[in-house]
Amino acid sequence: MTETVRLTTAQALVRFLAAQYSERDGVEQRLIPAVWGIFGHGNVAGIGQALLQAATTGDADLPYHLARNEQGMVHASVGFAKMRDRLQTFACTASTGPGSTNMVTGAALATTNRIPVLLLPSDMFATRAPDPVLQQLEDARAGDVSVNDAFRPVSKYWDRVTRPEQLVPAALAAMRVLTDPVETGAVTLCLPQDVQAEAHDWPAGFFRRRVWHVDRPQPDPAAVARAAEALRGARRPLIVAGGGVVYSGAMAELRAFADATGVPVADTHAGKGALAWDHPCAVGGLGSTGTGAANTLAREADVVLGIGTRYSDFTTASHTVFGDPDVRFVNLNVARLDAAKHSAVQLVADARAGLEALGAELAGWRADAGHRRRARGLAEEWARVTDACYRVEHGPLPAQTAVLGALNETLDPRDVVINAAGSMPGDLQMLWRASDPKAYHVEYAYSCMGYEIASGTGVKMADPSREVVVLVGDGSYLMMAQEIATMVSEGIKVIIVVVQNHGFASIGSLSDSLGSQRFGTAYRYRDTESGLLDGGVLPVDLAANAASLGARVIRAEGVEEFREAVERAKAADTTTVVHVETDLYGPNPPSQGWWDVPVSEVSDLESTRRAHAAYTDAKRTQRHYL
Ligand SMILES: Cc1ncc(C[n+]2csc(CCOP(=O)(O)OP(=O)(O)O)c2C)c(N)n1
Ligand SMILES: [Mg+2]
């Protein structure tokens, strides 16, 4: 007879999660070392009871962390998982209805970024006995629909456990998807509140220690030969290094490949730091917010080797950055979805394995010396542009680029800077000097305002030996500052730099360039005469707000005070907010690329008509790479 254990569904899930491990390159670690949550009637007596039992009886090792907003706890989990190269993540439990749907944005962020996170939204009663339960959506056309169906398109695996025994296949499928580098993203197991509390006799084998091996798919030798042939024929090759290089831990292999071949290496947000910024082949960020060096080389490139990149529109400057009419692509990617982009020679493999194989196949081959010299010269030229942006004197409020420069020079190479949305990702992509693959943590697949502070907690938990610096604009701060209280309660030290410019520098200047005159992009009083939101500055005090949440706060005026404030924040051992005001209007770094944002084709406004003419012009260079 099979040995069984009598537990509730929630208790069984907690015990199961505590027994899951991931393994890569011989290193085993807990796949899900902790659970984040916010309790309500949907989970307090189900998962909540199971976690209490785990914490107090030693039944299972699964610590619980209390977030302040469910979206925030998903961001914390993503930050953690990204730092841990997708080999570990957290689970997130939420109550029914709003608690659960608050996680939908986090789920989309995780899936877009290809970062694993396990979501456990509570669901309406499986028995439907008390329907409609508080917060239940009633659908007149279908009895089985709940708000949790909203997770389906943003999850890589979705299931609803309407009977206890369904947990066994559902939980196993969830682990498979979380640990598959091709499939990974948000995994959602919806748990009806009655089922969570229902007992069942579980097969003991369900709880055995289970290791999920994350393997390194090797490339097909014929594909390696095709890729090598394409590169050997290249006169102006360029590498685009994406996040896949970092998640695969292929930094040494990328460096060795660059050293051996001399091919210039541009990076995406997720790939920045994979090759140190001052490596002789490094040419910096590519695309809409790319460096002059990377974008010039992309315009001239005849062969592009994309490694671990999903080629977002920011990377390709909306399909305009590659200018050679005959440009060919070679894509090394673990996911065929990405390998196949731009009609590439597909090298479907783990980035490390693929680089090793391609490097061996290309042994002795080097990119043209003139091309290498040109790339080096362009990179040096861009270094001078960066220096100028870092040192720009501007008043009365400083330029954001000078604040970023002071920060870059004050931080140590291993310190992590986090950012996600606003004008800073662009400035960082062009100017930030990263020499460590984990030092640049910019979420720019979903570019979600609110990720910054919330993820800081998870990033610090992933590597407490590093200083973690959250860079956050006032807009993002106002969307999700509450997780400062979580950091304080957990005793997690993060430095938060709040860049106050009273509005959206990013969307404001975008609006201006598109003929929409910065409409509705500044935080201002409504002007009684114009009727628009362009009155005086609001008396909003974000430093006081941060202090009210329990953070230590330093107000800095100007670049020199800012530099000192960061030094003091580094010396502190509790969460410290550095508040600095910058000029909403720049000066900005010289923009090098285009971004496709459509402009109204007809308009009563002269500004829009002019912008539309410029848009039509820019659009001409956009194309598919066939
Ligand atoms: C959740 C979310 N809503 C809206 C946007 C669109 N958006 C991109 S940047 C931005 C403004 C950001 O303002 P702030 O954080 O102050 O940064 P700044 O542009 O001033 O640097 C907005 C609204 C977004 N990225 N995320
Ligand atoms: Mg702002």
Side-chain angles (χ1 to χ4, degrees):
M1 230 186 67
T2 319
E3 189 195 336
T4 57
V5 188
R6 191 159 177 80
L7 296 169
T8 67
T9 304
Q11 291 160 0
L13 178 57
V14 166
R15 191 178 284 198
F16 170 85
L17 292 179
Q20 307 307 305
Y21 290 76
S22 68
E23 179 276 335
R24 192 176 68 178
D25 303 332
V27 180
E28 272 182 24
Q29 47 194 337
R30 279 281 299 277
L31 175 58
I32 299 180
V35 175
W36 281 91
I38 294 180
F39 294 129
H41 63 280
N43 56 347
V44 67
I47 294 274
Q49 189 279 337
L51 289 169
L52 166 71
Q53 192 165 304
T56 54
T57 67
D59 213 28
D61 174 22
L62 202 64
Y64 168 71
H65 300 281
L66 168 60
R68 301 306 188 263
N69 176 299
E70 292 85 355
Q71 185 187 132
M73 68 196 190
V74 186
H75 294 339
S77 304
V78 169
F80 177 80
K82 186 171 161 74
M83 284 295 284
R84 308 293 304 163
D85 288 331
R86 317 193 289 193
L87 299 167
Q88 291 189 291
T89 186
F90 294 130
C92 297
T93 169
S95 191
T96 55
S100 288
T101 51
N102 267 354
M103 297 199 295
V104 173
T105 294
L109 183 150
T111 293
T112 311
N113 281 277
R114 325 261 173 91
I115 301 287
V117 58
L118 178 61
L119 305 180
L120 306 171
S122 300
D123 219 318
M124 61 188 189
F125 279 69
T127 62
R128 307 194 190 163
D131 281 15
V133 66
L134 177 70
Q135 300 166 334
Q136 179 175 334
L137 178 79
E138 287 182 280
D139 188 329
R141 299 156 302 174
D144 65 345
V145 168
S146 86
V147 293
N148 290 340
D149 286 272
F151 284 94
R152 283 180 188 265
V154 290
S155 298
K156 297 309 286 274
Y157 181 80
W158 184 99
D159 211 339
R160 179 179 282 134
V161 179
T162 56
R163 292 180 59 88
E165 53 268 54
Q166 287 173 357
L167 180 67
V168 173
L172 292 171
M175 300 304 112
R176 165 178 58 79
V177 174
L178 287 172
T179 54
D180 180 343
V182 178
E183 285 301 314
T184 200
V187 166
T188 303
L189 297 183
C190 308
L191 303 172
Q193 65 177 106
D194 49 349
V195 178
Q196 287 179 43
E198 205 175 324
H200 177 71
D201 295 307
W202 304 89
F206 183 49
F207 306 112
R208 74 167 169 80
R209 188 177 193 280
R210 210 172 279 268
V211 181
W212 298 86
H213 299 283
V214 180
D215 41 34
R216 295 185 175 279
Q218 300 293 317
D220 185 303
V224 176
R226 282 192 292 272
E229 193 194 328
L231 278 159
R232 261 199 217 97
R235 283 163 298 134
R236 297 174 306 279
L238 177 69
I239 290 173
V240 181
V245 176
V246 179
Y247 303 140
S248 156
M251 285 75 70
E253 288 71 16
L254 176 62
R255 195 171 53 242
F257 188 89
D259 287 340
T261 64
V263 177
V265 179
D267 53 44
T268 72
H269 280 285
K272 194 175 288 299
L275 188 70
W277 73 276
D278 53 357
H279 184 280
C281 291
V283 296
L286 175 68
S288 301
T289 54
T291 68
N295 284 5
T296 301
L297 291 164
R299 268 192 289 278
E300 298 170 358
D302 57 350
V303 177
V304 177
L305 170 58
I307 311 171
T309 173
R310 48 192 285 278
Y311 287 108
S312 84
D313 66 344
F314 263 78
T315 298
T316 65
S318 305
H319 292 207
T320 62
V321 85
F322 303 109
D324 186 322
D326 299 317
V327 61
R328 307 299 305 176
F329 293 79
V330 176
N331 291 338
L332 164 55
N333 208 297
V334 75
R336 195 170 294 275
L337 168 68
D338 298 312
K341 287 174 181 171
H342 307 317
S343 319
V345 173
Q346 301 174 32
L347 198 52
V348 177
D350 164 71
R352 183 191 280 186
L355 270 168
E356 269 170 357
L358 194 56
E361 186 82 10
L362 281 170
W365 175 78
R366 257 175 105 60
D368 172 72
H371 179 59
R372 285 186 273 132
R373 262 197 312 280
R374 173 154 168 74
R376 191 75 218 118
L378 287 165
E380 280 163 7
E381 205 175 295
W382 189 258
R384 288 189 288 278
V385 172
T386 302
D387 285 335
C389 291
Y390 277 11
R391 310 243 169 276
V392 64
E393 303 260 355
H394 183 73
L397 292 172
Q400 181 168 286
T401 60
V403 167
L404 296 180
L407 186 65
N408 189 274
E409 288 166 3
T410 312
L411 297 184
D412 293 311
R414 290 187 76 252
D415 295 349
V416 186
V417 59
I418 301 176
N419 193 242
S423 61
M424 280 186 279
D427 288 11
L428 292 168
Q429 171 71 337
M430 280 185 254
L431 307 177
W432 195 255
R433 291 169 166 167
S435 33
D436 178 288
K438 294 294 173 196
Y440 186 88
H441 188 115
V442 176
E443 185 283 291
Y444 213 64
Y446 209 51
S447 185
C448 182
M449 292 170 77
Y451 176 79
E452 302 90 336
I453 293 173
S455 69
T457 313
V459 169
K460 186 71 179 185
M461 288 167 87
D463 191 349
S465 76
R466 292 175 189 256
E467 200 75 71
V468 173
V469 181
V470 169
L471 262 175
V472 60
D474 51 332
S476 275
Y477 182 95
L478 285 166
M479 275 208 194
M480 196 162 292
Q482 78 292 330
E483 295 308 312
I484 291 175
T486 305
M487 284 172 188
V488 171
S489 82
E490 295 279 357
I492 285 169
K493 188 237 167 153
V494 170
I495 298 172
I496 299 170
V497 173
V498 180
V499 179
Q500 168 66 287
N501 56 19
H502 303 280
F504 306 161
S506 50
I507 306 299
S509 91
L510 180 67
S511 166
D512 202 29
S513 73
L514 302 177
S516 287
Q517 304 174 23
R518 295 184 177 263
F519 175 66
T521 62
Y523 291 135
R524 298 287 179 134
Y525 281 109
R526 187 171 295 285
D527 186 274
T528 43
E529 255 168 52
S530 70
L532 301 176
L533 291 169
D534 57 4
V537 169
L538 300 173
V540 171
D541 186 342
L542 300 183
N545 180 276
S548 79
L549 294 171
R552 199 170 156 250
V553 175
I554 308 173
R555 291 173 193 263
E557 266 179 44
V559 176
E560 275 326 298
E561 272 189 41
F562 174 74
R563 207 182 280 268
E564 285 161 32
V566 174
E567 295 284 7
R568 278 167 59 204
K570 283 194 73 161
D573 53 12
T574 55
T575 285
T576 304
V577 170
V578 176
H579 181 275
V580 63
E581 284 206 42
T582 57
D583 193 329
L584 181 70
Y585 301 103
N588 302 318
S591 182
Q592 298 293 324
W594 182 66
W595 187 29
D596 190 346
V597 179
V599 178
S600 299
E601 208 170 344
V602 293
S603 169
D604 292 339
L605 307 174
E606 174 55 25
S607 62
T608 309
R609 286 198 295 270
R610 264 200 318 270
H612 184 259
Y615 176 74
T616 311
D617 221 34
K619 192 93 177 149
R620 282 190 238 283
T621 54
Q622 185 177 51
R623 65 194 173 106
H624 290 298
Y625 303 107
L626 302 170

